[in-house]
Amino acid sequence: MSRPARNSTLTSPASAGTGSRTSLPYPAILVLLALALLTLPAQAQTFTVLHEFTGGEDGEIPLSGLTLDRGGNVYGTTTYGANQGCLGGCGTVFRISRAGVFTTLYRFHGIDGDGPEANVTIASDGTLYGTTEFGGAQGTGNVYRLQPPTRAVANATGTWNETVIHTFGAYNDGEGVLPWWGSLIFDRAGNIYGTASAGGTGPCASGGCGTVFELSPSNGAWTYNVLYRFTCGADGATPFSGVVMDADGRLYGTTDGNGSCQGGTAYQLTPNGSGWTESTMHQFQNLDDGGEPVGGLVLDAAANVYGATGNGGSGGGAGVVYELIPRGVGWTFTSLYRLPGGEGAGPESALTMDAAGNLYGTTVYGGANRDGSVFKLTYNNGSWTYTDLHDFTGGADGSNPIGAVALDAGGNLYGTSEYGGTGGSCEFGFGCGVAWKITP
């Protein structure tokens, strides 16, 4: 699956599932199911536009979400715009300060990167790490690091210093190519983990079905190692999203398709001393469980896994929010909620979980205006209640939010919309995109 081209309250007629956290007698389950069919009216929210992209030096089309630092500043990328050495521009990395000041930190030029689609990851020292889908000697993508400049350079240009720590190679070299919108993660030893959407092995197009990789630091350099190559079998293919890690060092992620009935998979990778063992937690059937789980996963404190599918399967709708619970040697799949909206209109990014276990997400084409939405699922006594936080209009507030939302300690949500805004006319004549904030 590739990226699509392009304040109201909804009450969802869609079915809502119950969580699997408690064991209840049958009558109680019936009562909870009835309650779960209700949705709360949208709470009073304040939607603020942080920046409207112009297609100039600030870039355009922010496909990724935003990343918060400890000071309340947010960082993100635009996939196009700025330097025109690439088709449509090579993209940028930017910061919006807590005070609302927008700064372009870096403009890609092609060989150093082209088309960043993933969130940036902030290391403990404030250095930024990320990927570009294209760029590099083979045009198959880079992993980059951005560091603040010295004060003298900062006063002159404001541009951060970029270092390419890995360049992906040829499609057929078995190492993986085209890191898509999966964010990088660190373990406690400073190793980096990510995914490449193609390459590796298997009968897929683009030289293979994708890989999961590790980058290990050593004496100022980085060593690249493939942890797993997808085969286009029961394990799936095309890992667009990144991975998450539990406290024991296991990795979790999703593939877009080529699992059972081409619906995609959720998988686990477990270190075994000499390598990694892959186990498929769920093969999506494109039925009531949904299909195309492109957005990745989130873990709770008990290592239960949550995600969302991009479409609603046989029942229609804009996707299914689901939970996977470890049961012995296997996993139990539970459909928590079928999101309202048309087929294929659902999330393309991971969900975000707050400290209370509530889930937040975006839909690309959902909402009252079919321009996307931001939603919240609240867990209470075995059921989930859906609240529509914002429906995009395609105007100054933007349209088609693809990236995940970021959540600060005060409950404020931050994100981007791919199109919309009034800052300029970019791809296909739509607006160039928006960065936004929702305050409860």
Side-chain angles (χ1 to χ4, degrees):
M1 179 177 182
S2 61
R3 292 289 195 188
R6 103 119 217 116
N7 308 324
S8 57
T9 304
L10 282 180
T11 55
S12 170
S15 61
T18 58
S20 301
R21 306 184 185 195
T22 57
S23 177
L24 297 172
Y26 184 69
I29 293 175
L30 291 179
V31 171
L32 289 175
L33 281 171
L35 290 173
L37 289 172
L38 301 176
T39 58
L40 291 174
Q43 302 167 348
Q45 311 286 335
T46 300
F47 184 95
T48 303
V49 173
L50 300 178
H51 184 74
E52 294 181 86
F53 293 91
T54 67
E57 291 302 296
D58 60 343
E60 60 186 81
I61 317 299
L63 294 179
S64 72
L66 300 176
T67 304
L68 279 157
D69 69 11
R70 285 174 286 190
N73 309 301
V74 294
Y75 299 77
T77 65
T78 66
T79 303
Y80 301 101
N83 190 291
Q84 296 302 310
C86 314
L87 181 64
C90 303
T92 68
V93 180
F94 64 85
R95 178 183 62 206
I96 303 174
S97 72
R98 188 172 183 175
V101 177
F102 180 94
T103 304
T104 300
L105 302 180
Y106 192 78
R107 301 173 181 90
F108 292 98
H109 301 85
I111 191 67
D112 61 345
D114 173 14
E117 296 197 12
N119 284 33
V120 295
T121 299
I122 305 176
S124 58
D125 63 354
T127 301
L128 306 181
Y129 291 80
T131 62
T132 62
E133 184 186 1
F134 305 108
Q138 299 284 340
T140 54
N142 287 337
V143 181
Y144 65 86
R145 177 179 65 205
L146 283 179
Q147 296 172 295
T150 63
R151 179 170 297 182
V153 174
N155 290 338
T157 67
T159 299
W160 285 33
N161 300 314
E162 192 226 22
T163 303
V164 175
I165 65 173
H166 179 72
T167 296
F168 292 89
Y171 282 81
N172 60 356
D173 68 4
E175 301 299 298
V177 295
L178 307 180
W180 210 278
W181 60 83
S183 301
L184 303 172
I185 63 168
F186 283 90
D187 67 13
R188 284 172 286 191
N191 302 304
I192 294 174
Y193 300 84
T195 62
S197 66
T201 58
C204 304
S206 300
C209 300
T211 66
V212 179
F213 64 83
E214 176 187 31
L215 282 162
S216 301
S218 177
N219 299 320
W222 294 82
T223 300
Y224 181 88
N225 181 41
V226 175
L227 304 183
Y228 187 75
R229 296 174 174 88
F230 292 93
T231 67
C232 195
D235 59 344
T238 319
F240 283 134
S241 60
V243 292
V244 294
M245 178 178 283
D246 68 16
D248 295 320
R250 292 179 289 257
L251 300 174
Y252 302 81
T254 62
T255 66
D256 176 39
N258 290 305
S260 179
C261 299
Q262 305 294 310
T265 64
Y267 64 87
Q268 178 192 66
L269 291 176
T270 303
N272 58 27
S274 60
W276 293 74
T277 301
E278 190 273 346
S279 58
T280 300
M281 298 186 293
H282 185 73
Q283 292 177 306
F284 291 86
Q285 306 294 315
N286 267 324
L287 299 174
D288 291 340
D289 59 345
E292 297 185 1
V294 298
L297 301 170
V298 62
L299 296 168
D300 68 12
N304 301 310
V305 178
Y306 300 80
T309 65
N311 67 57
S314 61
V320 172
V321 176
Y322 61 86
E323 179 183 18
L324 284 160
I325 301 174
R327 302 288 191 196
V329 296
W331 293 78
T332 298
F333 178 95
T334 302
S335 175
L336 302 180
Y337 202 87
R338 188 180 300 280
L339 297 169
E343 182 72 13
E348 292 200 10
S349 59
L351 302 170
T352 299
M353 178 177 285
D354 66 18
N358 304 309
L359 298 171
Y360 302 80
T362 60
T363 66
V364 182
Y365 294 109
N369 307 304
R370 303 284 292 168
D371 286 311
S373 66
V374 184
F375 66 87
K376 176 182 180 181
L377 284 172
T378 305
Y379 181 79
N380 184 37
N381 292 327
S383 66
W384 294 83
T385 300
Y386 173 91
T387 304
D388 185 343
L389 300 179
H390 184 75
D391 289 335
F392 291 88
T393 67
D397 63 339
S399 68
N400 312 119
I402 288 181
V405 298
L407 178 69
D408 69 16
N412 302 300
L413 300 176
Y414 301 81
T416 62
S417 64
E418 178 184 11
Y419 296 125
T422 60
S425 179
C426 294
E427 188 179 9
F428 305 113
F430 300 132
C432 302
V434 168
W436 49 263
K437 174 182 179 181
I438 294 177
T439 304

